[in-house]
Amino acid sequence: MLTGVSSPSGLNKTRRLPCQQRRGRLGSTNNRGLKDGMAPMSSREVRDAVHGLIELTDHEWRVVDSPAFQRLRGVQQLPMTHLVYPGARHSRFEHCIGACHLAGRMADRLGLEPREVQRVRAAALVHDVGHGPFSQVGEFIFEELTGQTHVHEKISAAIVRFHTPAGSILDADAEWIAELLTGTGHGAQRSVARDIVSGSADIDKMDYLLRDSYFCGVDYGRFDVDKLIEAARIVHTSEGDHLAYDLDGIFAVESLLLARYHMHRQVYGHRTRVGIDKMLIRAVVSGVHEGLLPRRVFAPENLDAAFVEEYIGWDDHRTLATLAAAPDSRAGDLVRALLKRRLMKSVVKLEVDDDVAAQAIRKPAETLKKEQAAAEHLVAEAAGVDPMWVAMHWDSPQASAKEVSIVDGRTGSIGNFTELSGLFALGGPRPKPSVSVYALPPRGSDAFSVDTLAAIRQAALEALR
């Protein structure tokens, strides 16, 4: 039930964040008194390719200087996507700084209290500090090895709790941030802070879409971020306060979600990148099974202080180098092929037009996972290659529209984005479900013969039955 909406006019009277005050020289330290009785705060500026000059408080800068955060320089945002888009070599390091900046802009727009602003910015700064080697691909590795999902959020919380350099700086905010990131304690309840950091239209998406688009050299991820932040409102309901967007900004919300859809179709789901991801996942999983990589790091059971200490020593380069140096190893063979750009390619694609494929695509995910290995072996026989070099990929449709609260500033009524958006009213654009077969062509060749492709297709259909 609606009980109130924060007034836009009231928002314009809030104090400004350090990042919005007078700029100093790059790298300089500025000391300024803040309003609301806060002590003088020093800050440093970072020149960012996406947002320009970003100002971090001394408190935030000390978190950035911690070993756990510095490790993010070696964790690529889009692992090995530079093999497709050469410029895509950016890391989680700058993404987290960008997220902190946008969280500050959003919190300032909403007029949050200074203490809340500090905590929200800090949570955004460390929200991805737990990402393992290969970022989001690492999530699939954790999932395959442990059966758990959303592992990096739990590791981020463990780092905040147990990594002394970061935890001691965050001090009293550490546990609050850990709960927000894992959705436990106060974080289990929807709130303005949670919506800003990890909601349906949050600062995480805002930054990674703009950043990934910029470094990949495409425009698919661009949207009207200024209008989106300007349209942000706090709504007061019987369940508590949460983030909403003014009806006047609904096109900006559409542009964000449409950018997300296009980036998934054109960049994150690019057929060559999918093949790279399949090889990376298989290499790391094999490396753990072969004893080349520590299971306690890549398939953790206890997220304690000992785990955190060892975990922050691993990044993309160390993982790749460890596997590439292993002779007579399936994991090593996969990594050496990746480094030489010998990639598994999409050789057959089956869509819902085919009755057999349509039935298989609609099977439950757990069933597909159990059947996948057998299907890949059958296809490998037809292709005449080792099953290690064959992978099947289910591209199932996901709803591109997220439920975002929309508030009518004139009437105060609250509605759902999907009910009010003309573009997303029926769920928005969605790809056709499909199953793709990835395989590494024979050495010395870039493709399979026509006859072999026909055999692969037939084998895939048989496997899907």
Side-chain angles (χ1 to χ4, degrees):
M1 175 181 173
L2 175 68
T3 59
V5 181
S6 291
S7 165
S9 60
L11 297 176
N12 294 330
K13 298 176 183 177
T14 59
R15 63 106 180 92
R16 298 173 68 81
L17 282 179
C19 59
Q20 293 175 301
Q21 304 221 13
R22 180 178 55 84
R23 303 294 187 187
R25 291 175 300 169
L26 180 63
S28 64
T29 300
N30 303 315
N31 292 291
R32 303 182 278 279
L34 298 183
K35 297 179 182 179
D36 303 309
M38 292 182 68
M41 182 181 295
S42 61
S43 61
R44 302 197 185 196
E45 289 171 335
V46 176
R47 185 175 291 279
D48 181 64
V50 176
H51 303 299
L53 287 175
I54 293 177
E55 211 164 304
L56 299 176
T57 67
D58 182 62
H59 188 77
E60 293 160 354
W61 189 262
R62 288 165 57 212
V63 173
V64 170
D65 262 348
S66 68
F69 200 97
Q70 287 294 314
R71 179 188 71 95
L72 297 180
R73 293 181 184 273
V75 179
Q76 286 193 6
Q77 179 87 353
L78 303 176
M80 300 197 80
T81 300
H82 58 269
L83 295 178
V84 185
Y85 297 96
R89 289 184 173 272
H90 54 302
S91 71
R92 289 281 160 179
F93 180 87
E94 53 263 40
H95 163 61
C96 285
I97 292 176
C100 174
H101 169 69
L102 289 178
R105 287 188 60 189
M106 182 73 78
D108 190 49
R109 172 61 183 162
L110 295 172
L112 300 187
E113 292 298 320
R115 182 85 174 92
E116 191 76 356
V117 173
Q118 176 182 314
R119 296 200 297 188
V120 168
R121 283 174 60 94
L125 185 65
V126 300
H127 80 285
D128 272 352
V129 75
H131 260 302
F134 314 121
S135 288
Q136 205 62 40
V137 173
E139 285 290 284
F140 298 120
I141 294 167
F142 284 135
E143 185 175 348
E144 185 161 337
L145 290 170
T146 68
Q148 299 182 47
T149 58
H150 304 293
V151 179
H152 89 268
E153 290 94 340
K154 298 170 187 174
I155 297 176
S156 293
I159 289 173
V160 168
R161 287 176 171 132
F162 301 120
H163 181 55
T164 302
S168 61
I169 297 165
L170 296 171
D171 194 22
D173 292 336
E175 188 58 28
W176 185 92
I177 291 170
E179 290 183 353
L180 186 73
L181 298 180
T182 55
T184 58
H186 79 89
Q189 303 299 318
R190 186 177 181 186
S191 66
V192 175
R194 198 183 79 172
D195 284 351
I196 291 174
V197 177
S198 59
S200 298
D202 56 29
I203 48 86
D204 179 41
K205 295 180 186 65
M206 293 182 198
D207 185 82
Y208 79 64
L209 288 171
L210 292 173
R211 192 169 302 278
D212 294 349
S213 180
Y214 176 86
F215 282 100
C216 288
V218 301
D219 287 332
Y220 304 118
R222 298 189 62 80
F223 61 94
D224 193 347
V225 64
D226 294 328
K227 180 61 180 178
L228 196 60
I229 291 175
E230 188 276 331
R233 301 287 186 270
I234 295 176
V235 292
H236 315 290
T237 71
S238 56
E239 289 78 30
D241 295 352
H242 65 266
L243 176 66
Y245 292 92
D246 191 274
L247 183 62
D248 185 51
I250 196 167
F251 296 117
V253 178
E254 287 181 343
S255 73
L256 171 74
L257 298 179
L258 195 58
R260 178 177 174 270
Y261 169 79
H262 284 152
M263 286 294 285
H264 274 278
R265 301 312 301 164
Q266 295 294 325
V267 176
Y268 310 140
H270 187 286
R271 62 182 181 277
T272 304
R273 183 179 186 247
V274 170
I276 292 169
D277 289 354
K278 293 288 185 183
M279 294 176 73
L280 272 176
I281 293 169
R282 188 160 292 178
V284 175
V285 171
S286 296
V288 172
H289 291 324
E290 294 177 271
L292 302 172
L293 299 174
R295 181 173 289 273
R296 61 187 173 275
V297 170
F298 291 88
E301 293 183 4
N302 299 310
L303 304 183
D304 53 17
F307 159 77
V308 168
E309 184 177 359
E310 185 169 6
Y311 183 79
I312 63 174
W314 288 87
D315 60 10
D316 296 4
H317 175 75
R318 182 181 179 184
T319 306
L320 286 173
T322 299
L323 296 179
D328 304 319
S329 158
R330 295 172 74 81
D333 289 343
L334 282 158
V335 168
R336 285 186 286 273
L338 274 169
L339 295 177
K340 294 178 181 178
R341 210 181 182 280
R342 290 186 60 239
L343 309 178
M344 291 197 295
K345 298 183 177 182
S346 176
V347 294
V348 169
K349 184 174 184 178
L350 305 173
E351 297 183 313
V352 289
D353 311 81
D354 186 292
D355 291 339
V356 176
Q359 293 175 17
I361 291 166
R362 295 190 177 98
K363 288 181 180 179
E366 287 304 312
T367 302
L368 294 175
K369 185 176 291 186
K370 291 176 182 177
E371 295 176 351
Q372 185 166 347
E376 289 171 352
H377 274 74
L378 191 61
V379 172
E381 288 181 13
V385 300
D386 188 304
M388 179 176 76
W389 302 107
V390 172
M392 298 183 73
H393 175 67
W394 274 260
D395 188 5
S396 301
Q398 296 179 343
S400 56
K402 296 286 186 177
E403 280 304 350
V404 180
S405 295
I406 301 294
V407 59
D408 188 329
R410 293 177 295 277
T411 66
S413 62
I414 302 175
N416 289 325
F417 168 74
T418 52
E419 297 171 352
L420 297 170
S421 166
L423 184 61
F424 288 85
L426 298 177
R430 304 177 76 179
K432 289 197 299 184
S434 64
V435 175
S436 296
V437 176
Y438 284 80
L440 183 71
R443 188 176 290 275
S445 173
D446 287 334
F448 291 97
S449 68
V450 174
D451 290 342
T452 302
L453 286 176
I456 291 174
R457 181 180 181 84
Q458 186 59 37
L461 287 171
E462 288 182 27
L464 290 175
R465 290 193 182 94

